Structures are given as structure tokens and as C-alpha cells.
Amino acid sequence: MDSTKNFFDAWVNTQNKIVDNLVDTSKKLKENLSNNEVVGKAVEMYYQWLEKQKGTLQEIAQHLSQQPNNTQISSVLSNWLEAQTQFGQQWLQSIQQIAGNNTPQNFSKMQETWNAITNQFMNQFGKPIQDLSYTPGNLTKDVFQTMIDGSRTYMKMFELWQPIYKFLQSNTLGMESLGKMVDMGKYQEILAGLFQNTVPFAQGNLSEQMQKMMAMMQGGLSNLGNINPTQIPQQIAKMMDYLRPSSLNTGMEMLNNLGGQATERFNKMFAPYYTMIPASKEKEMLQLAIQVYEHYSKYTIKAVEMQNIVITTGQKSMENVVKNLIIKVREKAQNITFDEFYNTWIDSIERDMIALFASTIYSKLQGELINISLAMKTKTDKLMELVLSPLPIVPRSEVDEINATIYELKKKVRELEDKLEEKENTTIQTTQVNTTNNTANTQAETETQTPPAVRAIKNGKQEVASPKTRKTNSKTNNK
Amino acid sequence: MQNPMLEMIEAMQKMTQRLNKGQEVLQKSNQIDIGTAEKEEVWKMDKMRLFRYKRNEESPYKTPILISYALINRYYMMDLQPDRSLIRKLIDLGADVYILDTGYPTRNERFLSLDDYVNVYINKAVDFIRKSRNIDKINLMGICQGGTLSVIYSAIYPEKIKNLVTLVTPIDFSNKDGLLFKWAEDLDVDAIVEGFGGLIPGTFLDAGFQMLKPMLKPRKQKNLIDMLDDEAKMMNFLRMEKWINDLPDQAGEAYRQFIKDLYQQNKLVKGELVIGNHRIDLKKINMPLLTIYASEDHLVPPPTTRPLNDLVGSTDKELYEFPGGHIGVFTGARSQKELSPTIAQWLKDRD
């Protein structure tokens, strides 16, 4: 058994013990909360928990210290142990806090503490698996990640649920209070997490790539004579920063105007230089860089528009969920559990998002975003080819030309092979027909000498032929 | 109403227990077997491979079936696991099954067009089976996009196809109920093909599929947590995940024509589609036709599949509605119990 396997087994066992300990203590805490006896027992529970936790952590530390030569393990392990310890401390504090302050007045403080420890737990849980590369198979790792992500969404929604729960309890609060009670910033984070693969919530990476690309270009621009080569990419990067939306409160119109003005200003600033620069690789690169920048500006604006309609839909969805739950509570005097809230929210937001996705405005916006981002990618690829051109690297466009030639050649070879095969079949058939005719002549000559039954058997055998042969025969006959 | 603090503790407690159990189960799941029905490669051309599924005894059917699967995703979804396998069931019912694996195109294949897929690869595979089995015609079964290609093929080469079966196959692209059909209107396909350098990433297409059911992922994540202590369910889940995440890239030229001519201009139904040197006339499809569609299909909604039945020249034709979704057709319990026997019997009656 290898050391990583040992580590993993030990880790799973330890995690099991820690979770058992947590669950056990939680149960006790729950029982005591129900009986209002938690204050008296908190200290006892604290020490019991602490002792068990220490024992478990010491056990794994001892076990793993015997593992040979694995620096990766020790680094991950020490981080993990530290996280566990921090989590333990926070958890213990929260027990004390909950135990000492289990009154409605301190509810928000308790929930704040609780949220902090759940977040802490979700962040450190599974860290060794995510950090280490030995996890068996990417799929397992992906599914594990999915599990963790899903749990995070679930727990984050739990945070949002707490004020909603309070809201539902109150008959006096109106819908306008909901916005104040629910942390919409957090809700937006959840939405961004859910739709990050489909809606461009994070342009950070793109911006970073662009900055890097501009930095790379500096070398290529150094031959531009009168223009200070360091200023152009900086200017572009600065403008990118300037255009990057910091919040959704920024109006679309303003952004559009800003984008237009910036592009115009940029073009005006550099227009005189275009005419001065002779046609060259450098000029082409400069023009491409400006085009990329223009696309990026447009992309950013469209992305914000997209985020805006998705988040607005998500917020409306949440309002509707709460409205429906209020009606349910009032009419049926039913208890609403978190699971019920979560499931209602998922159903509601799915319905609303599908309606949004089916709208023409969304479809057009999505089309524009895809088109702009790919146009930007095409220009960037071209730019990169020019930047890399002094190096002994075959650019993609040349590889594509080779691929196109190979494709055409393959096609021609296939056509020739088909023709050859057809010709061969025809030749075989012709030979067969000639042989048959010769045989027929010979037969005719010797017919009187051959008995009729033998002739029938011979003819019957000749009827068996492949479909291709039959077809060729028929073609030959038609001709 | 329960004390919210107790509810919090309970939720945390449940979550931690299940997460812990989940990591144990996932750790054990080193091997995720999928597509395990025994088969052998009988023919190969470029990256295309033709497989024939093994049988213990000779097939009672005279005519073998060739399955043409979509270029998107992988064919082994039809043999996800032994008890959820349309292919195994067909074999059990006596069928002699071949499948064309279109592989994973790379940049080398970026210029492959629909003409290549239909007139070269499918055609050569069909010819190979006809020649090796010494028969004139074979049965063709097309799945999803593979169904569209099979329909096109059958219109060009009706003399080679004895019976045509299509499953969840888009034919009439004018209906915009399906989001994919709606979104396609606003796509600049040339920009996409160029932008991706002629090879459309499978993940790009998958992002669109995910949006069709935007909350599927959180639902799945929640269900996953609920099923963590059930190893059998977890393995089912993992197999499906493996298939979902196995996304071949698409040859740009084929993608370009498929989106432009079909999704955007609906040329197949209009009789304007040209593949290679052939203008496709659906009336030339004169063999018996079985059109299977899923009533709850969100990827290929029924209004896009059913019209085939009215557009072909066949006199022996049948529409079969499967109560379920796009994937349930192949992996659901009902598929095993009802759909496979229906297909097998329909083919046997016309063998």
C-alpha cells in the first residue's frame, strides 16, 4: 500500500471520528437546548469534545509521521490540522455563545456565529482531497467537488433562510422589509455560483488574460519609433480597468456611453499615428490590439447587461417564493422548514430562468456575447501569432493550412480508391461474363453429352453472387 | 415551528454526516465501468470505428442493425450499465447489433463535413456490413443527431436500408419551443467556428445544454447528498456523470452546416438541404419507418421529431411516444421493459 493511500485512509478515519464527535456533541446540545439546560452542561460538553478532538488529531499526526518521504502529504496535513484546530475553536466558542445566549434578542448574533462556523467547516472540509493530486480519477474528484459546491449552496441558502424565517413569523412586516432583511449581496453570490458556467459573472480572468497579453505585446511594439512603447498597453489596460463595472448599480446607458466615448477618444488619440506608421507587422499588431480592446469594452458592457437581467430575475423569484410562503403560513398555519423553502426556491427560480432564457432579449444578448467573445478570441489568436512569429514555432494558421491540404488529399485518394474498386469489380464481372459465355458455348457444344440434371445443378450454383456482383451484372446488362 | 437554532444544528449535523459518508464512497469508486457489453472492432476508417456486439448464439434476425449515434456525447450511454442498456436488451431479444463510433475529432478533423459523415463514413460502414454479411440491405437506427444523419442517409441510399428507426431525432427545426432551437437564431456560426479555430469544444455545447434545465445541478447536488449512503445509487449517478462529462469536440465544418442549414434555415424539411452532390428529398425514404420520440424531451421537443412521419414517402410508418425525457429513452426502467421489446418486435415483423 502506498503512502498516499495510507494517508487517505487515515484521513477518512480521522474525519469520521471528528464528524462523529461533532454530531454527538450537536445532539447533546440539541437535547439540552430543548430542556433549557445547556448553560449548566456547556462546560462539561466543551471539555469532553476537546479531549476527543485532541485525541483524534494526535492519533493521525502520529500515524502519518511514520509515513516515508511525502512532503506533499506533510504540507497538506499541517494545513489541514491547522484548519481543523481553528474550526474546533470557533465551534467551541459558538457552543458557549449559543448556550449562554439562547434568547430571541440574541438570535441574530447566534446565527452570525453559526454561519461563520458552517462557512469555516465547508471551506476546510475535503481540503486534502481537493489539494492532493492522487485522488483516484478526475471524475471522482469532480463529483466530490460537486458535492462540496452543492453543500455550500445549500448552506449559503440556509444563511439567507434565517431572516426569511423570522420574516415569516412576523405578520407586521411588508415585502419592502424583505430586501432589508435578506442579504442580497450574498444572494447574488449564490446566483453567480449557480450560473457561472453560462452567464459571464466573472470577467476577472478575462481581464487578467488581456493584461498578460498586453504585457507580451510590449516586446512586439518596441519598434514603433515615435510612440513610447510602454504607454500603449498601459493606456489600454488602464482603460480596461476604467471600463470594468464595479457594481450593478452602474446604469447600462452610462456604461454604453462610456464605452463609446472611450473608444472614440482612443481612436482619436492614435489616428494620426496610423498614417505615420508604414504597413508592417507592428502596425497590424497595433490595429489588432485596438480591435481586441474594442471588443473587450463591448463584451464587458454586454456581460453586465446579462448579469443584470439574470440577477433581477433571481431576485424576483426569491420575492415570489417568500410571498407564496407567507400565504401558506397565513392560510394553513403550517410550519415551513428550510428544506421546503429550498425546494420551493429551486422550482421557482428554474421556472423563471427558463422563461428568461426563452425570451428574445436574452437570446439576442447571449448571441451577441458569444459573437463578441469569439471575435475577440480570433483577433487575440492572430495577435499572438504575430507576437510569436520571431520564434521557431509553427503557428496555428499554418497547421490549419496543412490540415486542409491533408483533408483534400485524403478525399482525392478515397475517390481514386473507389474508382479503382469499381473498375476492379467491373473487370471481375466482365471476366465472369466472358467465362460464363465461353462456358455456355462449350456447354452448347457438349450439351448433348451432359445429362439435364447435372446442367441444372451447375446453373443453380452460378446464381449465388454478392449484392455488388449482382448490381454490376445488372448495370452491365443495361449497358 | 421548530426552534431555528435546533434546525440549524440538525442541518449541519446531517450535512457533515453525509459529506463524510460521501467521501468514503467516492474513495471506493476507483473504477466506473460503463459500456461493458462485449463487442469487437470489425472495421475502421480514419477515426471512425465500427463495432459488432458479441452474441452467444446466432441471431434469429436476417437483417443486422447499425446504430448511428449523435456526434455530441458518446454512444455508450445506450449501454450505461447491464440493467440499463438498450443495446444489451436488443441483443437479448435476438438482434445483431453494430454501432458506429465517431470518436473524438481533433484539429486534424476540423474540415470534416456532413458530406463526410454521411456519404463516406456511414456509407462505408453500411457497405462493409452488406458486403461482409452478403446482404442487400441493413436496418439503420439513428439516435438524436445520429437520427438526422440516418434520415439524410436513407433519403440518399434507400436501396441499402431495409428498415429505418429514429429515436429522439430533430427533423423540423422551425419549432422554437426548444431553447436550443430558439438560441440558434441569434448565433453567428461562422464567428463561432472561426473563434474556436475550427474545432467546437464539447464543453461549449454542454454549457448550452446545462441552461436548458438551469437548476439541474443544484438539484443533483442535493440529491447526491441524500444518496451518499447508497452505494448502488451512487454508482448509477457516477456512471451517468461520466457519460455527461465525456464531451467530444465537434468538427467545425459539420457543425457549421448543421446549425446553419438545419437549425437556422430548416432546409431538410424544405427539401433544400444539399449533402455532397445530393439534394435531400425526404419523399425518397420509402422503407418502413419507426419514429420514436419522448413526450417530455426538453432537448429535442416532440414537435421537432414527429413531422418526419408525414414527410417521408414510406407507406409503412409508425409514431411511438415514449413517456419520459431525452435520456430516459435509453436509461429508464421503462426503456428496458417496453421500448426495446417494441423496437425488436417491429424489426422482426419486417425482417
Side-chain angles (χ1 to χ4, degrees):
Chain A
M1 192 183 275
D2 62 28
S3 57
T4 51
K5 176 78 179 155
N6 271 334
F7 167 74
F8 193 88
D9 288 345
W11 179 72
V12 167
N13 286 335
T14 310
Q15 190 75 40
N16 267 331
K17 285 179 188 171
I18 286 172
V19 169
D20 284 348
N21 194 11
L22 177 76
V23 169
D24 190 42
T25 314
S26 295
K27 273 182 190 163
K28 282 182 192 164
L29 178 69
K30 192 185 147 190
E31 281 163 18
N32 289 310
L33 269 172
S34 311
N35 301 329
N36 289 323
E37 290 173 2
V38 76
V39 180
K41 295 205 172 176
V43 178
E44 187 188 330
M45 281 163 59
Y46 173 95
Y47 283 113
Q48 279 175 4
W49 187 89
L50 186 64
E51 285 311 307
K52 275 191 186 177
Q53 205 77 341
K54 271 183 189 170
T56 309
L57 295 176
Q58 275 166 4
E59 202 179 305
I60 189 175
Q62 193 182 354
H63 176 80
L64 293 170
S65 63
Q66 293 160 5
Q67 299 298 321
N69 315 321
N70 203 322
T71 48
Q72 193 190 13
I73 285 180
S74 49
S75 142
V76 171
L77 180 67
S78 63
N79 291 339
W80 175 58
L81 287 179
E82 197 184 328
Q84 279 285 354
T85 312
Q86 276 176 11
F87 167 66
Q89 282 166 358
Q90 266 194 308
W91 201 88
L92 286 171
Q93 280 166 13
S94 75
I95 287 181
Q96 289 178 310
Q97 200 165 22
I98 291 165
N101 298 293
N102 188 26
T103 57
Q105 288 79 8
N106 288 312
F107 181 79
S108 59
K109 199 168 183 186
M110 284 196 297
Q111 76 185 31
E112 205 178 290
T113 313
W114 186 261
N115 291 338
I117 64 160
T118 52
N119 280 334
Q120 169 78 12
F121 178 77
M122 293 313 299
N123 285 335
Q124 63 89 32
F125 188 89
K127 203 85 172 81
I129 289 191
Q130 289 160 289
D131 288 350
L132 285 177
S133 55
Y134 70 82
T135 310
N138 285 334
L139 179 68
T140 312
K141 192 172 176 178
D142 288 349
V143 171
F144 188 81
Q145 191 57 51
T146 299
M147 193 173 84
I148 299 285
D149 288 347
S151 311
R152 282 199 185 114
T153 308
Y154 187 76
M155 295 311 279
K156 274 185 186 168
M157 281 305 288
F158 201 102
E159 287 179 35
L160 289 183
W161 159 243
Q162 293 159 22
I164 292 171
Y165 168 84
K166 200 172 175 186
F167 180 81
L168 289 175
Q169 296 280 71
S170 166
N171 283 324
T172 53
L173 296 172
M175 278 310 286
E176 67 283 357
S177 321
L178 181 72
K180 290 177 192 163
M181 295 180 76
V182 175
D183 185 342
M184 284 301 175
K186 225 166 231 170
Y187 185 51
Q188 282 180 16
E189 275 176 34
I190 294 173
L191 293 175
L194 286 174
F195 298 107
Q196 61 186 342
N197 292 332
T198 46
V199 178
F201 273 98
Q203 287 106 39
N205 293 341
L206 183 64
S207 171
E208 199 182 316
Q209 281 175 1
M210 297 283 291
Q211 304 270 8
K212 280 182 187 166
M213 192 263 296
M214 291 303 168
M216 281 189 75
M217 272 182 55
Q218 283 191 358
L221 290 166
S222 56
N223 298 324
L224 282 177
N226 291 336
I227 303 171
N228 182 346
T230 58
Q231 276 179 3
I232 298 168
Q234 277 170 5
Q235 185 68 28
I236 294 169
K238 200 175 164 187
M239 284 186 163
M240 280 177 187
D241 276 343
Y242 184 50
L243 283 172
R244 194 185 309 150
S246 55
S247 84
L248 285 174
N249 297 329
T250 318
M252 296 301 129
E253 203 182 331
M254 195 188 94
L255 264 176
N256 271 311
N257 289 340
L258 192 62
Q261 281 169 18
T263 310
E264 201 183 325
R265 228 165 60 192
F266 192 91
N267 283 334
K268 270 185 187 171
M269 192 191 319
F270 288 102
Y273 293 109
Y274 290 157
T275 48
M276 285 166 61
I277 307 167
S280 63
K281 193 178 81 177
E282 284 72 23
K283 185 175 184 177
E284 199 182 342
M285 284 168 67
L286 181 63
Q287 283 171 334
L288 279 168
I290 291 164
Q291 285 166 3
V292 169
Y293 151 72
E294 282 175 0
H295 285 311
Y296 178 74
S297 310
K298 283 181 197 161
Y299 180 85
T300 309
I301 292 159
K302 292 289 169 194
V304 175
E305 269 185 69
M306 175 77 98
Q307 286 172 25
N308 199 26
I309 58 172
V310 168
I311 285 173
T312 307
T313 306
Q315 284 176 343
K316 277 185 188 160
S317 210
M318 175 63 95
E319 280 174 22
N320 287 335
V321 169
V322 176
K323 270 181 197 165
N324 291 335
L325 290 180
I326 288 174
I327 293 167
K328 208 169 178 179
V329 168
R330 281 181 190 163
E331 285 181 357
K332 298 181 182 171
Q334 274 182 325
N335 283 345
I336 306 291
T337 62
F338 169 64
D339 263 5
E340 201 174 349
F341 160 73
Y342 188 76
N343 291 335
T344 313
W345 170 71
I346 284 200
D347 289 343
S348 171
I349 200 167
E350 180 152 79
R351 213 172 29 242
D352 294 342
M353 284 298 169
I354 288 175
L356 171 69
F357 295 161
S359 68
T360 303
I361 186 169
Y362 182 88
S363 178
K364 287 204 178 305
L365 199 50
Q366 180 181 248
E368 281 175 303
L369 265 169
I370 292 172
N371 297 343
I372 297 170
S373 61
L374 287 167
M376 185 159 61
K377 188 175 176 301
T378 305
K379 303 275 181 207
T380 311
D381 287 347
K382 181 115 202 271
L383 192 55
M384 289 314 292
E385 278 200 5
L386 291 170
V387 172
L388 297 171
S389 60
L391 300 172
I393 298 169
V394 181
R396 202 174 75 185
S397 56
E398 277 182 31
V399 175
D400 280 344
E401 276 175 31
I402 297 167
N403 281 332
T405 311
I406 293 171
Y407 173 76
E408 288 304 324
L409 284 173
K410 269 188 171 179
K411 213 170 178 176
K412 276 182 188 161
V413 169
R414 220 163 32 221
E415 280 168 11
L416 288 171
E417 279 175 351
D418 287 348
K419 277 182 188 167
L420 195 65
E421 196 184 332
E422 204 177 320
K423 200 176 173 187
E424 275 174 2
N425 286 336
T426 316
T427 315
I428 291 166
Q429 283 314 301
T430 314
T431 315
Q432 279 180 350
V433 170
N434 288 341
T435 314
T436 311
N437 289 341
N438 290 340
T439 312
N441 291 338
T442 318
Q443 271 179 341
E445 284 167 15
T446 57
E447 196 158 328
T448 47
Q449 296 162 15
T450 314
V454 177
R455 284 207 304 270
I457 292 166
K458 278 184 180 173
N459 289 339
K461 272 183 186 172
Q462 280 167 359
E463 278 172 19
V464 181
S466 73
K468 207 149 199 173
T469 314
R470 278 209 294 279
K471 209 163 149 193
T472 320
N473 265 336
S474 131
K475 269 184 189 170
T476 315
N477 292 341
N478 288 341
K479 276 176 192 170
Chain B
M1 206 173 270
Q2 198 184 26
N3 183 326
M5 192 50 72
L6 296 183
E7 206 186 344
M8 274 187 235
I9 295 168
E10 254 177 24
M12 179 74 180
Q13 186 180 310
K14 263 194 239 170
M15 182 70 73
T16 46
Q17 274 177 315
R18 284 173 171 165
L19 281 174
N20 220 38
K21 179 73 189 167
Q23 70 195 12
E24 268 187 88
V25 175
L26 286 170
Q27 162 65 4
K28 284 182 201 163
S29 321
N30 289 358
Q31 195 66 40
I32 300 159
D33 294 329
I34 197 165
T36 52
E38 222 181 323
K39 60 185 185 298
E40 63 173 336
E41 185 184 302
V42 291
W43 175 84
K44 192 174 184 246
M45 184 177 196
D46 301 334
K47 281 189 178 154
M48 310 297 132
R49 292 188 299 167
L50 181 68
F51 291 103
R52 185 183 183 186
Y53 285 92
K54 289 193 175 169
R55 297 186 49 81
N56 292 330
E57 70 279 347
E58 206 173 316
S59 167
Y61 288 72
K62 282 182 282 184
T63 318
I65 308 169
L66 170 63
I67 297 175
S68 163
Y69 193 75
L71 305 173
I72 307 154
N73 286 122
R74 301 286 291 143
Y75 68 88
Y76 58 68
M77 188 268 286
M78 302 177 74
D79 180 31
L80 202 62
Q81 60 191 51
D83 60 339
R84 293 165 84 191
S85 168
L86 187 100
I87 287 175
R88 280 173 191 262
K89 194 73 186 173
L90 285 174
I91 295 168
D92 289 347
L93 293 165
D96 186 359
V97 182
Y98 290 81
I99 198 156
L100 184 62
D101 177 2
T102 47
Y104 297 86
T106 59
R107 201 166 293 284
N108 291 343
E109 282 79 42
R110 62 166 291 182
F111 297 105
L112 287 184
S113 63
L114 292 182
D115 177 30
D116 293 304
Y117 281 109
V118 173
N119 289 313
V120 180
Y121 298 129
I122 296 180
N123 192 31
K124 296 271 182 195
V126 169
D127 282 348
F128 171 82
I129 300 170
R130 291 168 64 235
K131 199 171 176 183
S132 61
R133 304 295 297 276
N134 203 21
I135 49 175
D136 283 333
K137 295 182 176 188
I138 67 159
N139 292 328
L140 187 57
M141 187 159 105
I143 316 295
C144 190
Q145 185 195 26
T148 315
L149 300 182
S150 300
V151 165
I152 293 169
Y153 181 82
S154 303
I156 302 174
Y157 306 97
E159 73 282 3
K160 297 183 186 181
I161 303 302
K162 192 170 178 67
N163 299 295
L164 174 63
V165 182
T166 64
L167 285 99
V168 290
T169 292
I171 296 295
D172 185 353
F173 294 77
S174 65
N175 187 290
K176 301 299 173 195
D177 287 350
L179 292 180
L180 293 178
F181 297 80
K182 165 93 183 156
W183 293 337
E185 283 179 326
D186 296 307
L187 291 181
D188 181 346
V189 188
D190 294 329
I192 293 173
V193 176
E194 197 186 349
F196 285 123
L199 192 70
I200 314 302
T203 46
F204 170 74
L205 303 176
D206 186 54
F209 298 146
Q210 278 188 34
M211 286 173 77
L212 302 180
K213 284 200 172 176
M215 298 309 280
L216 185 66
K217 205 173 172 187
R219 275 185 217 282
K220 212 160 63 173
Q221 288 163 341
K222 190 168 182 292
N223 291 341
L224 173 66
I225 292 165
D226 290 340
M227 68 169 81
L228 283 173
D229 44 3
D230 187 331
E231 206 164 333
K233 274 189 183 169
M234 274 296 286
M235 287 312 291
N236 280 359
F237 175 84
L238 288 172
R239 285 190 192 101
M240 186 58 93
E241 282 298 291
K242 184 173 179 175
W243 174 74
I244 288 171
N245 290 296
D246 192 356
L247 301 158
D249 297 338
Q250 303 292 299
E253 290 313 310
Y255 173 82
R256 194 197 305 266
Q257 194 182 5
F258 202 81
I259 302 293
K260 271 191 177 178
D261 286 359
L262 298 172
Y263 272 99
Q264 292 181 338
Q265 296 175 45
N266 201 24
K267 284 185 177 177
L268 181 59
V269 165
K270 291 178 187 166
E272 295 168 3
L273 183 68
V274 176
I275 301 289
N277 301 321
H278 308 272
R279 179 177 288 273
I280 309 304
D281 177 4
L282 292 176
K283 288 284 175 211
K284 284 187 179 164
I285 296 178
N286 52 16
M287 71 289 301
L289 168 72
L290 175 61
T291 305
I292 298 164
Y293 65 95
S295 58
E296 307 301 320
D297 198 332
H298 67 294
L299 274 163
V300 184
T304 66
T305 57
R306 284 192 305 240
L308 177 65
N309 206 51
D310 300 323
L311 294 166
V312 293
S314 316
T315 48
D316 178 4
K317 51 191 178 181
E318 196 175 327
L319 273 173
Y320 180 90
E321 182 181 283
F322 180 84
H326 192 77
I327 307 298
V329 171
F330 309 100
T331 59
R334 202 161 186 160
S335 169
Q336 299 290 299
K337 274 188 201 159
E338 289 175 25
L339 185 62
S340 310
T342 303
I343 296 171
Q345 189 58 49
W346 188 86
L347 288 172
K348 194 162 186 62
D349 293 345
R350 290 155 182 83
D351 193 26

